[in-house]
Amino acid sequence: MKELTMYDWNALWHERDGYKTGYHVAHDDINQLATELSANLYKPAADLHDVAVYETPDKFILAGHDDGLQLLEMNKHHLFDVTTRLVTEDEGQDTPLPYVEIHVDNLATAEQALWRGAITLNQQGQILVAGQPINAATPPAMAFDTLSFNNNERFRAELARVWREDIPALQPLIDHWFEHGELAEAEVAEHHYGDAARIQEICDRYAEMVQREQAVLSRLFSDNELHLIAAVLKDIHFDSAAACRGLWLAVEARLVHDELDRQLKVDSAALLNKMKALSYAQEVALIEALSPLPESDTAED
């Protein structure tokens, strides 16, 4: 069986609680527990400081040594990631602009799903998402019927948190769209970018923002982590401003398929956690710093 670099297993071992101890098995070798655990060996331990990973249809079992055998069980249905973004530019979807998009990804179960909720205003000017007031205690029905863990209590609790915390954080951007987004393109251009001096002012502010964020990011990421992100960006074209959001998803995909973390000796779990915490401005700053120059620019050099 070919091992897939799905997660940084040792990082998960140290980050999670719930170790089970007191096991007595016939083998001291943690790579020889398949029979006792009624599971298949998914990833053998490379040495005494490494964890072995076993798999059943529903969970992973991590085995390690620390004052005796310890086991950590991880339900596959709990290993999901949820990402929220506001879409304000036409991406060819049937949902009218603007809308909220919630992306769910679970590498362990090989499942992905999207939910889109149209954003409207009621007669009182209150923001509605999928017909529900943005500050309502109860979220709208978010249908993820294709996910095997759709009704899982932990998954539904995370969706409730997204509704309670992440979506209200988008309100300033939503307000801005309703103030300006429905104007004709010519009106928007005239309102915002009336002359060359105004355009230069915007470019200067953008450059200053990017420079400041890059200074922060240079201290947040190691050189190898930045090399890894640059390798991912080399093959990505961002055709809209909104496409820059959720950069960690592209990095995660390359970690799974190309094992860049092993090549560059990067802790993939730690890297993804840092990337998920980035603001939109920081993601743009990373893209500006690490994306390759257009061919025409490199030719001139």
Side-chain angles (χ1 to χ4, degrees), residues 42-281:
Y42 182 85
K43 184 199 78 71
D47 52 50
L48 290 176
H49 304 291
D50 195 17
V51 297
V53 181
Y54 292 84
E55 181 184 23
T56 73
D58 300 322
K59 62 188 176 184
F60 291 111
I61 305 172
L62 277 59
H65 282 300
D66 187 6
D67 296 327
L69 174 66
Q70 289 187 331
L71 300 178
L72 173 63
E73 295 185 359
M74 298 191 303
N75 188 318
K76 291 182 179 180
H77 286 170
H78 295 168
L79 296 174
F80 55 79
D81 289 304
V82 180
T83 306
T84 305
R85 72 184 185 108
L86 173 66
V87 181
T88 59
E89 298 181 10
D90 186 8
E91 297 182 357
Q93 305 299 329
D94 294 334
T95 308
L97 295 174
Y99 59 87
V100 169
E101 184 175 88
I102 298 178
H103 182 266
V104 179
D105 180 64
N106 189 325
L107 292 175
T109 62
E111 295 175 273
Q112 291 183 327
L114 277 173
W115 178 83
R116 298 183 178 96
I119 301 173
T120 56
L121 298 178
N122 62 16
Q123 293 182 344
Q124 292 74 40
Q126 186 180 26
I127 296 172
L128 308 178
V129 177
Q132 190 79 337
I134 195 171
N135 57 355
T138 304
M142 300 180 188
F144 287 96
D145 296 338
T146 60
L147 296 178
S148 61
F149 51 93
N150 176 47
N151 295 319
N152 180 276
E153 182 178 351
R154 184 175 300 192
F155 176 59
R156 283 290 147 184
E158 175 61 12
L159 291 181
R161 186 203 63 77
V162 166
W163 173 258
R164 186 175 63 251
E165 299 176 11
D166 295 356
I167 291 180
L170 299 173
Q171 184 162 348
L173 296 175
I174 296 172
D175 289 339
H176 184 271
W177 191 91
F178 279 108
E179 291 174 8
H180 304 294
E182 294 180 302
L183 297 174
E185 280 190 25
E187 291 175 314
V188 172
E190 181 179 356
H191 181 75
H192 287 288
Y193 318 119
D195 52 38
R198 172 60 176 155
I199 293 174
Q200 185 59 52
E201 181 181 76
I202 293 171
C203 290
D204 289 344
R205 289 177 179 174
Y206 176 77
E208 179 67 19
M209 178 199 74
V210 168
Q211 184 176 4
R212 288 173 180 268
E213 293 293 357
Q214 287 174 350
V216 173
L217 295 170
S218 67
R219 296 189 291 270
L220 179 63
F221 293 97
S222 69
D223 288 344
N224 281 359
E225 287 174 332
L226 292 173
H227 286 312
L228 188 152
I229 298 170
V232 174
L233 291 175
K234 182 176 65 175
D235 299 319
I236 298 178
H237 172 67
F238 298 94
D239 54 4
S240 70
C244 298
R245 193 61 173 140
L247 181 58
W248 70 269
L249 289 169
V251 171
E252 184 179 54
R254 287 291 302 276
L255 292 175
V256 172
H257 295 296
D258 299 335
E259 300 187 349
L260 292 178
D261 53 331
R262 288 192 171 184
Q263 297 174 31
L264 294 169
K265 294 181 170 48
V266 167
D267 182 335
S268 58
L271 173 61
L272 290 173
N273 284 337
K274 285 191 278 190
M275 295 195 70
K276 290 176 188 179
L278 295 178
S279 67
Y280 174 74

